[in-house]
Amino acid sequence: MSKFFATPVRDASTAVADYFVPANAPFSCLVKKGESVRIVDLEGQQAVDTLFYRADDFSERYSSQDTLRVQGSAYVSTGTKLISSEGNLMLTVTADTCGRHDTSAGACSCEANTVRFGHQVKYLHACRENFVIEVMKHGMSKRDVVPNINFFMNVPVEPSGELAIVDGISGPGDYVELKAEMDVLLVISNCPQINNPCNGFNPTPIQVLVFAGEEG
Amino acid sequence: MTVTEDTLLFIEENKRRYAELKAAGQKHAPKALPGPTPRDGSPIPEGAVLHAETIPGGWYWSTPLKAGEALRIRLPHGPAAVSMIAWAAGDKSERLNYADTVKVQWTSALGKGRVLFSDMGRVMFSLIEDTTGFHDALVGGSTAASNRARYGEKALRNTRDNFILAAGKLGYDKRDIPPALTFFAPVRTDADGVFHWLEGKRQTGDFVDLRAEMDLVVALSNCPHPLDPEPDYAPPAVEAIRFRAPAPAADDLCRTATIEAVRGFENNAR
Ligand SMILES: [Zn+2]
């Protein structure tokens, strides 16, 4: 585990829900207002692409740009407020053992992969495939899929505006914890990308834990 | 955690492909991009103009744009910021994707020679002329909340509501509104990732020319960028001119500047 920034420090055994998300897989679950969700990078160097939707109105969704604007900075870590497309506070990052997460670069897709890596990689499972599969379970479609947060991905934006090319910085067991400020649907693509170092060339499983709110 | 032999072989194979992809990419070195277009350069030929619109400060406008047409967005009355979203004309689920645009070109600093991608790996626009090179791809446009924070409790027009109106009048929905790009918004980060506004990077006469690379529907909003430190809300009118763009030559800069642009245009042609 790397650095540690968290309040309060929670014991994993007190979680009210404990989900195992296999390598490459999509996942979703509801997180109620006041509950906290912990996303654990079990083996390290695994990008976790994540979206949030307001549980009682999916047309209100995570907005990377509103989040960056309110935050005033390009990186996500402890204290970051995740803002919706309606300008409402969705979740607050309350713990982070990794130190930096990306919300500028969005998710991989078969189509973007052909542009980045060549047409021969088109038929490789990608995050947008996961997102479409998962949101359609909830009556949504591709138009509900917007640029997301990439937990455990380090995409430095340089003063020149260039995006730097760097390896993942998370180690086994690193986690990020978010307190829900409204009832949200959490949607994850456990990134299947194997064409660059963001997953250490080997996508691995993650764990999602939900903790009850302080007031019970 | 013990790693099996199969996993090690899998990692080795992926690393080898990564090395091959990198080597292949290096064979197609990116072209050096030119400096900004001079403010008095690149006049639109008289007969090429299809429509000219003046968008008052605080307002929005939407237009269809056919492949091969271009849109000049110009600041005739001083510094302004113009936010843009766009959809494929025949399929509103395909839309401008800023994240793919910055990721595949490895830069959030968009300028002359760059292209703008849809979420389907296709090129929507080529940035064929640009007098500033200072635009915002990350922070997006203003909202009612950002206006309140900047200017107090007055009811002022904002980009989010403008795009809801533009989308609504087209028969689209809030869910169809993608994040925006904002032209003439000189935003950069410092070494810690904190956003800064670089005033002095835009002035009267600045323009950008966007050549449509597929049939599009475009929406523009003329509101101050949320990071603009100017204390008064007083956006001047901007000009939007739709015109027939010169046909791209075989060595067209935007189509050949990077291997990623080449592949994007290959996707357009399929
Ligand atoms: Zn991915």
Side-chain angles (χ1 to χ4, degrees):
Chain A
M1 220 182 271
S2 329
K3 288 166 284 180
F4 194 84
F5 309 98
T7 41
V9 179
R10 294 169 188 279
D11 182 345
S13 68
T14 64
V16 295
D18 182 349
Y19 306 98
F20 177 83
V21 185
N24 307 330
F27 169 79
S28 63
C29 71
L30 282 168
V31 185
K32 288 235 163 69
K33 181 177 177 175
E35 290 180 340
S36 288
V37 60
R38 178 186 293 186
I39 300 168
V40 188
D41 183 359
L42 291 171
E43 298 185 27
Q45 291 214 8
Q46 174 58 38
V48 182
D49 294 40
T50 306
L51 280 170
F52 298 97
Y53 300 84
R54 184 188 186 103
D56 61 1
D57 178 4
F58 294 151
S59 77
E60 181 171 354
R61 59 201 180 195
Y62 174 69
S63 167
S64 53
Q65 292 191 328
D66 287 277
T67 298
L68 289 175
R69 188 191 75 243
V70 166
Q71 164 103 331
S73 121
Y75 311 123
V76 172
S77 186
T78 306
T80 301
K81 293 175 172 12
L82 307 194
I83 307 296
S84 77
S85 52
E86 302 298 326
N88 294 316
L89 176 58
M90 301 189 91
L91 303 100
T92 306
V93 181
T94 50
D96 178 16
T97 69
C98 175
R100 186 187 274 194
H101 311 270
D102 163 71
T103 195
S104 301
C108 65
S109 69
C110 295
E111 294 77 16
N113 282 348
T114 69
V115 175
R116 299 176 74 192
F117 306 118
H119 300 292
Q120 74 277 19
V121 305
K122 180 173 176 185
Y123 296 106
L124 287 174
H125 192 57
C127 280
R128 211 157 302 148
E129 308 273 293
N130 278 342
F131 278 141
V132 169
I133 289 268
E134 200 61 29
V135 301
M136 285 187 85
K137 291 178 187 168
H138 301 278
M140 293 186 271
S141 68
K142 179 170 84 72
R143 71 177 180 157
D144 299 287
V145 176
V146 286
N148 54 286
I149 290 200
N150 293 304
F151 288 115
F152 311 112
M153 245 182 87
N154 183 20
V155 183
V157 183
E158 297 179 341
S160 64
E162 311 265 294
L163 305 190
I165 310 172
V166 295
D167 290 358
I169 53 173
S170 57
D174 265 333
Y175 68 81
V176 63
E177 208 167 282
L178 304 106
K179 184 181 177 208
E181 312 283 0
M182 61 166 71
D183 293 357
V184 295
L185 175 70
L186 159 81
V187 179
I188 279 175
S189 165
N190 191 14
C191 183
Q193 183 62 261
I194 51 171
N195 296 300
N196 71 11
C198 72
N199 293 330
F201 299 106
N202 180 34
T204 47
I206 59 162
Q207 184 183 26
V208 176
L209 299 167
V210 180
F211 298 94
E214 254 106 272
E215 297 80 4
Chain B
M1 188 91 27
T2 47
V3 180
T4 65
E5 200 139 309
D6 280 356
T7 303
L8 288 173
L9 283 171
F10 178 69
I11 294 173
E12 274 322 301
E13 189 190 313
N14 293 339
K15 274 189 178 165
R16 197 183 60 237
R17 187 176 52 233
Y18 175 61
E20 282 169 13
L21 292 170
K22 247 169 89 170
Q26 275 151 5
K27 266 188 244 146
H28 193 295
K31 284 187 181 172
L33 296 184
T37 309
R39 284 189 186 88
D40 59 355
S42 199
I44 301 173
E46 193 101 339
V49 173
L50 299 165
H51 178 76
E53 185 83 15
T54 296
I55 310 172
W59 281 85
Y60 63 96
W61 179 61
S62 77
T63 183
L65 198 60
K66 285 221 170 353
E69 295 176 358
L71 194 62
R72 172 166 296 188
I73 307 169
R74 189 170 165 269
L75 310 183
H77 309 294
V82 182
S83 299
M84 181 180 82
I85 54 177
W87 299 272
D91 173 9
K92 66 179 184 298
S93 84
E94 181 173 4
R95 56 203 186 189
L96 183 65
N97 189 301
Y98 85 86
D100 282 356
T101 296
V102 305
K103 176 168 61 190
V104 307
Q105 297 180 103
W106 291 107
T107 184
S108 64
L110 303 172
K112 181 172 176 171
R114 298 291 182 187
V115 295
L116 308 182
F117 281 90
S118 79
D119 63 293
M120 293 299 283
R122 304 201 296 160
V123 180
M124 292 191 128
F125 297 94
S126 290
L127 268 162
I128 54 173
E129 302 293 346
D130 174 19
T131 60
T132 74
F134 281 89
H135 311 292
D136 166 45
L138 299 181
V139 179
S142 61
T143 65
S146 79
N147 271 358
R148 265 197 307 278
R150 290 283 302 109
Y151 311 104
E153 285 302 324
K154 285 167 283 181
L156 299 165
R157 301 191 65 95
N158 68 81
T159 286
R160 169 71 182 168
D161 287 337
N162 278 346
F163 285 150
I164 290 173
L165 290 163
K169 287 184 182 177
L170 291 161
Y172 301 173
D173 190 87
K174 272 197 306 190
R175 294 160 66 198
D176 298 309
I177 300 173
L181 295 175
T182 306
F183 296 104
F184 317 112
V187 176
R188 290 286 185 272
T189 53
D190 64 18
D192 298 320
V194 175
F195 291 113
H196 293 276
W197 181 268
L198 309 177
E199 197 46 89
K201 296 291 185 191
R202 51 180 192 164
Q203 64 186 62
T204 303
D206 273 326
F207 65 89
V208 63
D209 283 357
L210 301 156
R211 183 177 65 210
E213 302 292 357
M214 59 170 83
D215 291 353
L216 296 168
V217 176
V218 183
L220 302 178
S221 165
N222 174 18
C223 290
H225 189 273
L227 300 186
D228 186 341
E230 168 62 41
D232 295 326
Y233 181 98
V238 300
E239 195 172 36
I241 303 168
R242 190 161 61 86
F243 65 99
R244 251 177 252 106
D251 65 344
D252 181 77
L253 174 67
C254 292
R255 295 190 172 200
T256 57
T258 63
I259 185 69
E260 289 83 6
V262 170
R263 291 184 194 129
F265 280 101
E266 285 166 1
N267 285 342
N268 281 39
R270 284 169 186 207

